[in-house]
Amino acid sequence: MKKVMTPEIYEEKRNGLIVLLEGILKKATRLSDKSRLELEATVTKLKRNSFEIVLVGEFQGGKSTLFDTICDGRELSPRGIGIKTSACKISARSVPAEEPERVELHWKSNDELMLTMLDLVKDNLDDEERAFFTKSKKDGTAALPSLEDARTRALVKKALEKEWKAYSSKPAAYDPNNSGRLDLLQISWLILSFCNDPALLELRKRTSVTTEELKTLVVFPKEWAERWLAGKETKWQLNEVPFAFLGEANIYIHSPNLERLGCTIVDCPGLFAGPWDTMVAQNAMTNADAILYLIGGERSLTDSDLKALAHIRKANQGHKVFFAINAKQSFENTEKNLRPVDVSLIKQRGFEIQSDSDIDIFNALYNSASSVA
């Protein structure tokens, strides 16, 4: 039987690692400055219990539900039924009881809004128009035009209308791989429609809200797919669109479970929904101490999963990954049929797994936070 990591065992192993690393720092006189700084940073994190774990996985795989479960069951992470993209990055950490709960907001900059739409825009413009969106600064980074500029908005509108025409002419053939391109098109239209709305511009000046106020900002519109059947002429209210403009929300709450775990938990957008989502997810993984890859559990690893794992390996983040299956079938079927296949596929991708039991099985809806830990 797999040994459970209890708080006592964790404390013992953590303290032992601190002693080991401090010994290395004291005795290893030939360490490079970079290595010494990295070891010192690790020791500091160990002493403070300030590790960061990022949740990664396919859309609708249970990441948001697991995030809320770890946060003692509080509904904090955005959910969009059927929406595959543009959820903002959400992090949560525990603060002392005497410190008030709060949420720090970071709204998408002009470049981030443009990056959200960039693939769709470039795919639907001629070479001269496309060049307007592919200029570079002296440091080599993209110099994206401003949405305050009338020409920018006109070109974006032209590109999105062309994409809408392609979708409307053959809806069933649009996005055959179900990658989220339609969601990206719809969200891009919302960004174009509201980017210079005075009330939204005023809202985007807010940098701190309560946890209750956060729910109104990250909520996805109801009846999303049904309402879009009318096309881009669908009417949306201002209070339905902030989620498309919010880039990051850092939550500070009173959470016994997060305090016990001593970590920050991060839920971020999918890896390949669009350029912005990919950038945010990749940065989150690079900055994290560990990556929990959550496998959907309805079937074995999908092509999207395998593509994501290849991306993680290519980004040299594979050593941080551990896996869990969000069992959406019976535990017995998941254990006997799905998990062995997943283990084989993960090994083929170069990840180190000693046995099937190295991939935990749980249910994001029904497991307690303590069992997830």
Side-chain angles (χ1 to χ4, degrees):
M1 180 179 292
K2 187 177 180 181
K3 192 173 184 179
V4 176
M5 177 65 78
T6 65
E8 292 76 20
I9 294 174
Y10 169 77
E11 193 78 10
E12 178 186 345
K13 291 183 177 293
R14 185 199 68 158
N15 291 341
L17 184 55
I18 290 173
V19 171
L20 175 63
L21 294 180
E22 287 184 332
I24 293 173
L25 286 167
K26 185 176 181 180
K27 297 177 181 179
T29 57
R30 296 185 180 181
L31 279 176
S32 66
D33 290 343
K34 180 182 178 181
S35 296
R36 184 169 293 277
L37 287 173
E38 288 177 348
L39 288 176
E40 287 174 347
T42 300
V43 170
T44 299
K45 285 191 173 188
L46 283 166
K47 289 181 175 179
R48 292 179 180 174
N49 267 352
S50 57
F51 288 95
E52 185 168 290
I53 300 173
V54 62
L55 305 178
V56 178
E58 259 202 310
F59 308 112
Q60 308 298 320
K63 290 191 285 106
S64 295
T65 304
L66 176 59
F67 181 97
D68 290 346
T69 299
I70 294 174
C71 295
D72 302 283
R74 297 176 62 171
E75 293 186 5
L76 299 169
S77 189
R79 291 185 182 87
I81 303 302
I83 301 178
K84 297 180 175 61
T85 184
S86 209
C88 70
K89 174 187 172 185
I90 297 272
S91 70
R93 68 197 69 186
S94 183
V95 294
E98 63 272 14
E99 186 176 327
E101 294 190 339
R102 69 189 188 281
V103 182
E104 294 178 355
L105 302 178
H106 298 273
W107 297 91
K108 289 181 182 178
S109 65
N110 173 80
D111 281 3
E112 289 174 318
L113 290 172
M114 286 299 307
L115 198 58
T116 300
M117 305 184 287
L118 194 58
D119 280 356
L120 293 177
V121 171
K122 291 195 298 183
D123 287 350
N124 290 284
L125 295 176
D126 61 34
D127 291 344
E128 182 179 347
E129 293 167 333
R130 192 180 301 116
F132 186 66
F133 295 89
T134 56
K135 297 177 182 178
S136 298
K137 301 176 185 177
K138 290 183 179 179
D139 62 2
T141 58
L144 296 171
S146 172
L147 282 165
E148 294 181 0
D149 178 66
R151 184 190 178 195
T152 301
R153 295 195 304 276
L155 287 174
V156 170
K157 184 177 181 180
K158 176 183 177 180
L160 295 183
E161 285 182 334
K162 186 175 180 181
E163 185 75 15
W164 270 111
K165 186 176 180 180
Y167 162 66
S168 301
S169 63
K170 294 182 178 180
Y174 186 81
D175 193 15
N177 297 322
N178 197 26
S179 66
R181 190 175 178 90
L182 178 57
D183 293 321
L184 201 60
L185 172 59
Q186 293 161 343
I187 288 168
S188 296
W189 193 261
L190 291 182
I191 291 174
L192 177 64
S193 302
F194 285 89
C195 61
N196 289 318
D197 184 284
L200 184 61
L201 290 172
E202 190 65 27
L203 176 64
R204 290 170 65 191
K205 293 179 182 178
R206 297 195 64 182
T207 58
S208 182
V209 296
T210 66
T211 54
E212 287 303 310
E213 289 174 314
L214 175 66
K215 294 178 183 179
T216 67
L217 300 178
V218 299
V219 65
F220 292 92
K222 294 180 180 179
E223 299 176 340
W224 173 265
E226 294 82 356
R227 291 169 66 186
W228 277 112
L229 289 176
K232 62 182 186 296
E233 292 76 19
T234 300
K235 301 299 181 183
W236 302 94
Q237 301 300 315
L238 177 66
N239 62 359
E240 295 180 300
V241 303
F243 80 95
F245 292 84
L246 190 60
E248 184 174 341
N250 299 318
I251 305 169
Y252 301 84
I253 56 173
H254 303 142
S255 169
N257 194 53
L258 280 174
E259 183 178 2
R260 179 177 66 82
L261 292 173
C263 73
T264 297
I265 191 75
V266 180
D267 182 11
C268 59
L271 273 174
F272 302 107
W276 181 81
D277 305 75
T278 299
M279 178 189 73
V280 171
Q282 187 165 306
N283 288 342
M285 291 189 297
T286 299
N287 295 327
D289 298 288
I291 300 167
L292 171 55
Y293 195 93
L294 187 60
I295 303 168
E298 291 181 333
R299 54 193 182 281
S300 58
L301 286 163
T302 65
D303 289 342
S304 294
D305 284 314
L306 298 176
K307 183 179 179 183
L309 292 176
H311 183 95
I312 291 170
R313 288 271 296 170
K314 187 176 180 180
N316 296 317
Q317 301 300 310
H319 62 288
K320 298 180 181 178
V321 181
F322 59 107
F323 298 90
I325 299 175
N326 179 21
K328 295 185 178 180
Q329 303 180 19
S330 69
F331 185 93
E332 182 179 6
N333 182 63
T334 302
E335 182 179 32
K336 290 185 176 180
N337 298 316
L338 294 183
R339 185 163 66 176
V341 176
D342 288 336
V343 168
S344 177
L345 290 170
I346 290 169
K347 284 183 176 180
Q348 289 174 23
R349 267 63 189 179
F351 291 87
E352 293 185 9
I353 294 181
Q354 302 303 319
S355 65
D356 287 8
S357 62
D358 284 345
I359 300 183
D360 285 311
I361 301 173
F362 70 99
N363 185 288
L365 280 174
Y366 301 114
N367 274 62
S368 67
S370 60
S371 65
V372 172

